[in-house]
């Protein structure tokens, strides 16, 4: 709550400094240093209803960011305009073997940003107008800015992402990850690191969030330090789903900067 009270106060003080980005529906966006780096005094932010998910060291907020009509349009545009990794970038090394990734993946971001995956470091593809527009709406809604997006496309309920934490070294410490979902609703499951599998040392209930068409899930710090997440297979489901995780990379921490 405190955070919002503080942000509101700053909004009134900074009003004259805002820039306008009508395309993304952002009325006043002011860039700031640090983690809370833009204000949320926009039409987008004010109209949202957030649901809070909490557990031990888990802090997530969920909202419907896009109406059905908007989200339908966005997923068609994504299908028309996005291209996904092929070849070695579409494979993963698990249990001593190379396997095809059980989904499609691509990444876009600011000039000069790279990301590492399965031991390879590649440059982020530049932002497209569509992705910039979504990024700016996510920023207006959340109050945070992002310089990178990882996009996963699940062709149907056979496709999935296994348990992992988005705790990569090149991410700005403490910055939230914003996850936007389009298409087939799917379960997103959080498991506490100490409550997973046979070697669990704690009993902490998993947290499952159904990610609907057009929703935004904010994964706030320290969620990804303590909790793994996954999108399990749901073989009966046949619809396409596209997920975008907006992140903030610290260029000085990238593998390519070392
Ligand atoms: O598809 C999703 O909802 C999650 C994707 C994810 O966890 C990731 O990109 O790190
Ligand atoms: Fe993730």
């Amino acid at each position: 709550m405190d955070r919002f009270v503080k942000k509101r106060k700053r909004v009134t003080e900074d009003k004259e400094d805002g820039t306008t980005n009508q395309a993304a529906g952002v009325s006043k966006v002011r860039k700031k240093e640090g983690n809370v780096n833009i204000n949320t005094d926009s039409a987008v932010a004010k109209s949202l209803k957030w649901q809070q998910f909490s557990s031990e060291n888990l802090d997530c907020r969920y909202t419907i960011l896009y109406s059905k009509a908007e989200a339908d349009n966005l997923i068609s545009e994504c299908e028309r305009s996005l291209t996904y990794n092929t070849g070695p970038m579409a494979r993963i090394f698990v249990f001593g073997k190379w396997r095809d990734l059980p989904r499609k993946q691509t990444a876009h971001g600011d000039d000069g940003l790279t990301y590492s995956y399965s031991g390879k470091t590649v440059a982020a593809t530049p932002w497209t107008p569509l992705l910039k527009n979504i990024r700016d709406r996510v920023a207006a809604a959340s109050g945070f800015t992002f310089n990178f997006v990882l996009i996963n496309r699940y062709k149907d309920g056979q496709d999935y992402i296994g348990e992992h934490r988005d705790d990569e070294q090149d991410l700005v410490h403490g910055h939230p990850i914003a996850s936007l979902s389009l298409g087939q609703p799917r379960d997103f499951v959080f498991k506490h690191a100490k409550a997973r599998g046979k070697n669990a040392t704690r009993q902490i209930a998993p947290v499952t969030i159904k990610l609907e068409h057009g929703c935004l899930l904010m994964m706030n710090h320290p969620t990804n330090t303590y909790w793994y997440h996954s999108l399990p297979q749901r073989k009966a489901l046949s619809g396409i789903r596209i997920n975008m995780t907006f992140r903030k990379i610290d260029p000085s921490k990238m593998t390519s900067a070392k």
Side-chain angles (χ1 to χ4, degrees):
M1 207 24 146
D2 254 13
R3 241 177 64 201
F4 294 110
V5 174
K6 277 185 205 136
K7 264 191 259 169
R8 278 281 150 76
K9 193 154 168 265
R10 189 187 300 144
V11 165
T12 25
E13 287 160 6
D14 294 347
K15 238 171 192 157
E16 302 313 314
D17 303 305
T19 56
T20 303
N21 182 351
Q22 291 302 347
V26 180
S27 58
K28 289 188 178 64
V29 174
R30 188 184 195 287
K31 291 191 174 167
K32 287 258 174 193
E33 292 304 313
N35 287 334
V36 177
N37 45 13
I38 65 170
N39 77 49
T40 49
D41 188 31
S42 66
V44 174
K46 279 182 169 166
S47 66
L48 298 175
K49 289 194 176 65
W50 291 92
Q51 195 182 341
Q52 176 75 37
F53 290 86
S54 305
S55 185
E56 182 180 312
N57 289 314
L58 181 142
D59 171 12
C60 292
R61 290 198 305 151
Y62 175 98
T63 193
I64 296 295
L65 183 60
Y66 290 106
S67 68
K68 181 177 181 315
E70 288 174 314
D72 285 352
N73 181 48
L74 286 180
I75 196 166
S76 318
E77 282 301 303
C78 287
E79 287 292 86
R80 199 184 55 75
S81 64
L82 297 180
T83 55
Y84 293 89
N85 295 334
T86 54
M89 285 302 287
R91 299 226 180 83
I92 186 170
F93 196 68
V94 268
F95 301 122
K97 269 192 188 169
W98 283 100
R99 292 165 204 268
D100 286 338
L101 214 57
R103 62 190 178 280
K104 284 185 174 170
Q105 207 167 57
T106 185
H108 292 250
D110 289 0
D111 280 354
L113 292 187
T114 58
Y115 69 111
S116 301
Y117 194 78
S118 283
K120 291 171 284 284
T121 298
V122 290
T125 309
W127 294 103
T128 66
L130 172 70
L131 294 174
K132 264 189 196 163
N133 198 289
I134 300 173
R135 176 199 66 194
D136 291 348
R137 176 110 163 216
V138 168
S142 66
F144 291 88
T145 57
F146 301 92
N147 58 11
F148 181 86
V149 64
L150 181 68
I151 306 178
N152 283 294
R153 180 185 184 276
Y154 305 84
K155 68 176 180 333
D156 55 28
Q158 300 273 352
D159 279 2
Y160 66 95
I161 191 163
E163 289 180 12
H164 67 281
R165 287 185 280 199
D166 292 317
D167 58 351
E168 286 86 354
Q169 286 308 306
D170 57 2
L171 296 175
V172 172
H173 184 73
H175 199 85
I177 292 180
S179 166
L180 177 87
S181 296
L182 298 168
Q184 176 70 61
R186 294 277 296 262
D187 286 337
F188 188 65
V189 182
F190 283 99
K191 284 188 187 157
H192 192 282
K194 295 198 168 153
R196 297 164 69 226
K198 284 188 275 206
N199 300 325
T201 55
R202 303 268 317 269
Q203 272 202 323
I204 305 173
V207 175
T208 299
I209 305 177
K210 186 151 181 212
L211 298 182
E212 301 281 355
H213 187 36
C215 80
L216 176 66
L217 178 73
M218 296 301 298
M219 292 186 261
N220 296 321
H221 185 71
T223 307
N224 281 322
T225 308
Y226 293 92
W227 292 74
Y228 284 70
H229 57 253
S230 66
L231 190 93
Q233 278 187 320
R234 293 288 183 259
K235 292 187 180 168
L237 300 178
S238 58
I240 291 167
R241 172 173 184 273
I242 294 177
N243 174 265
M244 302 183 180
T245 44
F246 291 89
R247 298 149 189 254
K248 185 82 161 256
I249 290 183
D250 179 343
S252 69
K253 293 190 192 164
M254 294 183 314
T255 312
S256 56
K258 286 176 186 153

